[in-house]
Amino acid sequence: MTEKELCAEAYTALLLTETEWDSFLLKRTEKEAFVLLVPEHAKADKADSITDISMKTQDCVYLLRMEQRNGELHKTVLTEYGVSQIGIYNAEKETFAGVVYREQFAGWEEYGMKWYCFDEDGSAVRVYGNTEKEDVYTYWKNRKPVLLTDGTMELYGRKQETGSFEALVQEPDLKGYEDYTNYVAAYHWEKEQGLPVSDWLKDYVPYEAGDGLSGPELIREVFRAEKEGELPEPLYFGTGYAGAVVTEYITLEKEIYFAIKKFGEAHQAGFQSLCIGSLDEEGRFRQCGLYPGDRAQAASLQTGTEAYILYCTETEYTGLLSAGGGLLQLKDGILTQKWPVTETGEPDVKYWEKRTARIRDGRMKIYTIEYNQVSGSDTVTGYERKLEEVKSFD
């Protein structure tokens, strides 16, 4: 088959049109061919069997593997969101696809990477690289992978000045997209090592769902699951999307609990919102809720044998504040609010009437909101936050 015929086969198999998707042959061997399809508005630069891609996090690419077997054309499709690089490598008698994710916001970059091995039946099996498998999330937190066309890859480590991206993640009083860059510490990437892909994948181990994800991949899982209707409730996570970062990532047994801080481009989308939830042993979302706000904070706590996520949000509209927050207990894959609650154990939303909060050092500062009003009128000219108490959850 010619490249044109292979690409035509890909459009037909995926029910896509040439007017909305670009396609090209990424790699061909005697037994298989790989066709990559990217959205028409994305930028893709191919060099040999590696492609650099610039695209929105919420958009996807398709990698279609085709193999001629017993007179029939067998197809395997990979769907990936927010990819910055994708490449095909051969090692020993096996074929691998490497996928690099990039999450970027306010000048800060975070990366993740995963590998697929195509077995004899044509199925794509996810596998670990040698170094990352102990702790995928922590390993990629401050590293950057680069796939090269000569069968090698490079790893870079983040070197930064005092401070970190957490200064932005934890800053409670920012509410405008244009202000965020003032809180991001300068950094640069330094090369740690270069190695053959075959070395990275030497003695690889099949991936298990409960083993962990990098921060960018977890964010992409929210997009994927929402698009495919796999979330417990609708989120509208991508509405007004400008960027996101995983602020809390807790692994207990095989379950994963997380808090993602999403940055929005407009007030309607929430300048800062929290997405808090859990993944079970199979990698499925047990819970996943969106807590919208213009300002938001989250922190993980450990009290004895119990684990918690403490969170608060605040929204300002026409001069008035509304807030929410609570202490979520993490147990058996379920997040249960333990404070504030009503006598029946339900979250007490009335508690936050004319109150707001800030989190610092694992404690929550509760403030009473006092509005300044024009005498004899309901017109609000401003407000003050007055410290009511500091709650400790030790």
Side-chain angles (χ1 to χ4, degrees):
M1 299 176 69
T2 64
E3 177 173 352
K4 185 176 181 180
E5 289 172 332
L6 288 167
C7 290
E9 188 73 28
Y11 284 118
T12 301
L14 296 168
L15 303 177
L16 302 177
T17 63
E18 295 185 40
T19 56
E20 296 179 342
W21 294 82
D22 295 329
S23 67
F24 48 86
L25 183 63
L26 189 57
K27 188 179 179 70
R28 182 209 297 265
T29 66
E30 291 182 359
K31 66 174 183 177
E32 59 192 352
F34 292 85
V35 175
L36 183 64
L37 295 97
V38 301
E40 178 268 335
H41 55 264
K43 181 181 179 182
D45 295 317
K46 177 182 177 294
D48 195 24
S49 58
I50 306 294
T51 301
D52 295 316
I53 304 172
S54 177
M55 64 186 301
K56 295 179 180 179
T57 303
Q58 56 267 50
D59 288 342
C60 71
V61 300
Y62 297 101
L63 179 64
L64 180 66
R65 175 187 186 259
M66 289 179 273
E67 180 186 9
Q68 191 79 25
R69 201 173 343 127
N70 299 325
E72 296 182 0
L73 196 61
H74 293 259
K75 305 180 185 72
T76 305
V77 180
L78 300 180
T79 306
E80 294 290 345
Y81 286 81
V83 172
S84 67
Q85 267 194 316
I86 193 163
I88 307 298
Y89 292 86
N90 292 103
E92 299 296 334
K93 296 181 179 180
E94 296 173 309
T95 304
F96 297 89
V99 179
V100 177
Y101 308 106
R102 175 178 179 262
E103 185 70 18
Q104 190 273 339
F105 181 73
W108 184 266
E109 299 171 299
E110 286 195 359
Y111 288 85
M113 184 172 71
K114 71 177 178 183
W115 288 90
Y116 292 102
C117 176
F118 295 92
D119 62 21
E120 294 179 354
D121 296 326
S123 300
V125 179
R126 184 174 177 181
V127 297
Y128 284 120
N130 279 330
T131 313
E132 63 177 333
K133 58 190 176 187
E134 294 300 324
D135 187 341
V136 177
Y137 175 76
T138 301
Y139 182 84
W140 289 113
K141 183 66 176 172
N142 287 298
R143 284 191 175 90
K144 170 185 175 179
V146 177
L147 302 176
L148 302 176
T149 59
D150 61 358
T152 66
M153 58 183 287
E154 294 177 338
L155 294 172
Y156 293 80
R158 191 193 313 272
K159 306 298 179 185
Q160 62 193 73
E161 299 174 4
T162 56
S164 69
F165 189 55
E166 276 66 23
L168 166 60
V169 171
Q170 296 169 3
E171 173 58 45
D173 290 320
L174 291 175
K175 60 177 182 177
Y177 175 80
E178 67 278 2
D179 297 326
Y180 291 150
T181 52
N182 298 331
Y183 289 83
V184 177
Y187 68 89
H188 64 278
W189 296 105
E190 285 188 6
K191 184 177 176 180
E192 290 182 342
Q193 63 173 319
L195 72 163
V197 168
S198 56
D199 286 357
W200 176 265
L201 296 171
K202 185 179 180 181
D203 301 323
Y204 66 78
V205 178
Y207 176 87
E208 294 184 19
D211 289 339
L213 302 170
S214 67
E217 187 181 352
L218 176 55
I219 292 166
R220 280 143 185 77
E221 275 297 293
V222 175
F223 282 116
R224 184 201 61 77
E226 182 168 35
K227 185 175 181 179
E228 297 180 10
E230 295 178 4
L231 293 181
E233 59 184 89
L235 286 191
Y236 307 105
F237 187 81
T239 303
Y241 186 85
V245 65
V246 178
T247 66
E248 305 299 324
Y249 188 94
I250 304 117
T251 301
L252 299 176
E253 299 298 331
K254 286 289 186 179
E255 280 130 356
I256 295 168
Y257 305 86
F258 59 86
I260 297 171
K261 194 168 192 177
K262 173 205 161 188
F263 300 96
E265 296 173 314
H267 170 77
Q268 294 90 332
F271 288 118
Q272 298 179 21
S273 298
L274 293 173
C275 177
I276 303 175
S278 63
L279 296 165
D280 64 15
E281 292 184 15
E282 304 301 321
R284 295 187 296 259
F285 285 96
R286 289 283 295 273
Q287 288 181 254
C288 193
L290 190 66
Y291 302 79
D294 292 332
R295 309 177 183 97
Q297 288 178 288
S300 57
L301 304 176
Q302 189 79 32
T303 303
T305 59
E306 302 295 337
Y308 301 89
I309 288 179
L310 184 64
Y311 76 96
C312 64
T313 63
E314 181 182 83
T315 300
E316 184 174 348
Y317 184 64
T318 63
L320 302 178
L321 293 182
S322 58
L327 183 71
L328 302 173
Q329 184 181 30
L330 318 180
K331 192 170 184 179
D332 299 328
I334 301 298
L335 298 96
T336 306
Q337 185 153 317
K338 292 297 184 180
W339 175 89
V341 293
T342 64
E343 292 182 356
T344 60
E346 298 297 318
D348 186 2
V349 294
K350 290 186 176 181
Y351 174 86
W352 293 105
E353 292 179 359
K354 291 192 175 181
R355 284 193 177 100
T356 189
R358 296 290 185 270
I359 297 171
R360 187 177 180 86
D361 299 327
R363 293 175 172 80
M364 184 175 277
K365 293 184 175 182
I366 309 296
Y367 295 87
T368 301
I369 303 169
E370 294 188 2
Y371 291 104
N372 303 321
Q373 292 180 286
V374 176
S375 179
S377 168
D378 293 333
T379 303
V380 173
T381 59
Y383 61 84
E384 294 181 33
R385 299 185 188 93
K386 293 194 174 180
L387 185 63
E388 179 180 320
E389 68 169 315
V390 179
K391 286 195 68 68
S392 175
F393 300 93
D394 296 334

